[in-house]
Amino acid sequence: MKPSKLWYLAQGSVGVVQWVSVSLLLAPIIIQNTGSGGLMGMVIAIIGGFGISAPFIGKLADSYALHRPLQKIALVAHLLALVLLYFSGNGAFLYYVIGGLIGFGTVTLMLLNPTFVLSSSQNQQQEGKGLARLYQSQFVGVILAALLVAGLQSLGFTVHTQLIALMSLTGSILVILIVFPPEQVAQIESEQTKVATQASTNAPWWLFLLAVFFSMFLSANLLEMGPVLLEKLFAVQTSSSAIGMAGSALLSIILLEPAGRWIQRSGPFKVWSCALAAYMVVGVALYLMIGHKVQSFLPVLFMVLLMQACSWSDMSVPAIAARLSPLTPALTQGTLMFAIAGGFAAGTMMAGVSIDQFGFGSVITFSTISMFVSLMFAGALAIKLARR
């Protein structure tokens, strides 16, 4: 990677903290220390709930050219969350603070990093290549963090040692970003935004946001609670989930390359549609497995498929938003993050309550039903765009 592009590794913190630390450490720690599925769901909902602030963060960044400072602050928030998790016990308040820090850091990185890429892209080819590299960096973070957790667990090291390792990894990413910052976002009324404004109507934009919102019910629940669900429903050990996550992340790095080329040729809509179809397949497959004796590799295999779908969706939705939104660059991504994080928060909070009332299997049922709703909005969007 060229030195000027090393800032892409900032996206790796999303992989380290949002993907690995939350699912492999935060969720199990909460269950172990408090025994409350409701608290786990609430904390994860807080992480997603920070999407409410995403449009404000985007508007702030655009209005005062704070894109780069806010990017660094987001990484500091991720690092501080891991430090506080190290000192956590059975009190609920500290977990809420940790969830807030992770939520702020993830939302800010997820809206600003694609903004940097899209701002510097001169055409669809550069856009596809840049987004592919950005999200490949995210999965480099997933691989390194998951292998660290799995390796330390297999060697008998405590959760505290695992957290120290992840703190070191996140701190290294912060240092790299300070030394190799991205180019400043080119101005607010960018040519790309003007084109998007002229080509857009409100209906496709809102249909897109609703489809994204409801798709998050499945992706958030199955990713963030995945290792816990696999352990409770299919007796899959956490260390096996960590290894599966690392292998899946490596596969994602490979498959993001053809996905990026697909965007370069055909744009982002087909890639996103493929991701939504994969979400539905995973939800239905896991639902059909509940209550049956299955080989442990089968649910892990479908979780691997889910991670590939998530990587394709994450890469394509910023570009779709830039095409449909009448808003300024970071505000566009902030509004998209509002839909993403709002779906994350609503879905995981309801899933946490569902666990306490109906058991872990209800999360998969609830998530799969929500995916049907998402596909309805995505279908309406496709019809609307086809009639243009």
Side-chain angles (χ1 to χ4, degrees):
M1 184 180 293
K2 296 179 180 179
S4 62
K5 302 296 184 182
L6 284 175
W7 73 263
Y8 281 23
L9 293 175
Q11 190 72 12
S13 184
V14 177
V16 174
V17 179
Q18 181 73 36
W19 286 61
V20 175
S21 298
V22 171
S23 60
L24 295 181
L25 295 179
L26 177 60
I29 285 173
I30 292 174
I31 292 293
Q32 180 179 338
N33 289 348
T34 70
S36 173
L39 177 60
M40 178 184 69
M42 183 62 71
V43 171
I44 295 178
I46 289 173
I47 294 174
F50 260 81
I52 295 172
S53 67
F56 170 76
I57 295 171
K59 182 66 175 177
L60 183 68
D62 279 339
S63 298
Y64 300 100
L66 294 175
H67 305 87
R68 290 191 289 186
L70 285 171
Q71 187 186 40
K72 295 180 179 67
I73 292 171
L75 278 171
V76 171
H78 269 179
L79 181 58
L80 183 57
L82 294 177
V83 172
L84 293 179
L85 185 58
Y86 181 92
F87 294 103
S88 63
N90 56 10
F93 178 75
L94 188 56
Y95 292 113
Y96 294 147
V97 174
I98 292 168
L101 288 168
I102 294 174
F104 169 78
T106 297
V107 165
T108 303
L109 290 173
M110 291 293 286
L111 78 89
L112 288 179
N113 289 344
T115 300
F116 285 119
V117 173
L118 295 171
S119 174
S120 62
S121 298
Q122 302 300 317
N123 50 52
Q124 187 166 281
Q125 286 67 36
Q126 290 183 7
E127 175 187 81
K129 183 177 180 180
L131 289 171
R133 295 292 179 269
L134 182 69
Y135 288 96
Q136 283 174 327
S137 297
Q138 176 173 307
F139 288 103
V140 168
V142 173
I143 291 172
L144 293 176
L147 289 178
L148 277 174
V149 171
L152 291 172
Q153 281 186 357
S154 65
L155 293 173
F157 287 96
T158 65
V159 169
H160 290 92
T161 303
Q162 295 166 38
L163 284 169
I164 290 174
L166 296 185
M167 287 177 215
S168 301
L169 189 54
T170 305
S172 299
I173 293 172
L174 176 58
V175 171
I176 290 171
L177 180 63
I178 292 171
V179 176
F180 301 101
E183 295 179 5
Q184 185 57 279
V185 172
Q187 187 11 85
I188 313 209
E189 285 298 329
S190 67
E191 197 60 34
Q192 182 184 47
T193 302
K194 292 178 182 178
V195 171
T197 303
Q198 295 168 0
S200 298
T201 62
N202 287 335
W205 174 235
W206 287 108
L207 287 170
F208 170 65
L209 292 178
L210 286 168
V212 170
F213 176 84
F214 283 103
S215 71
M216 288 303 300
F217 283 33
L218 181 139
S219 61
N221 283 326
L222 297 192
L223 278 179
E224 303 305 329
M225 301 183 188
V228 174
L229 292 174
L230 293 188
E231 181 179 5
K232 299 295 183 181
L233 296 175
F234 307 111
V236 177
Q237 297 299 314
T238 301
S239 59
S240 298
S241 293
I243 294 172
M245 185 175 288
S248 181
L250 178 59
L251 183 60
S252 294
I253 291 175
I254 296 171
L255 293 182
L256 278 170
E257 194 67 32
R261 289 197 295 269
W262 195 3
I263 288 179
Q264 292 176 44
R265 292 193 308 271
S266 306
F269 289 95
K270 291 181 180 179
V271 175
W272 181 55
S273 299
C274 182
L276 293 183
Y279 282 2
M280 192 74 255
V281 169
V282 171
V284 171
L286 292 178
Y287 172 78
L288 294 175
M289 290 182 194
I290 297 174
H292 299 282
K293 290 184 177 180
V294 296
Q295 295 294 322
S296 61
F297 76 88
L298 281 176
V300 172
L301 185 62
F302 279 103
M303 293 301 291
V304 168
L305 174 61
L306 177 65
M307 185 177 284
Q308 308 317 307
C310 286
S311 68
W312 283 32
S313 177
D314 287 348
M315 181 179 69
S316 57
V317 293
I320 295 174
R323 284 162 169 75
L324 297 180
S325 170
L327 308 174
T328 54
L331 181 56
T332 288
Q333 300 305 323
T335 305
L336 172 62
M337 278 307 305
F338 182 91
I340 290 173
F344 184 108
T348 52
M349 183 170 61
M350 287 188 277
V353 173
S354 182
I355 288 172
D356 287 342
Q357 296 295 322
F358 306 107
F360 286 92
S362 64
V363 175
I364 293 175
T365 304
F366 161 71
S367 300
T368 305
I369 293 172
S370 300
M371 198 59 222
F372 276 109
V373 178
S374 175
L375 288 173
M376 289 175 58
F377 285 113
L381 171 60
I383 293 171
K384 198 78 174 178
L385 293 177
R387 289 177 177 172
R388 281 185 173 181

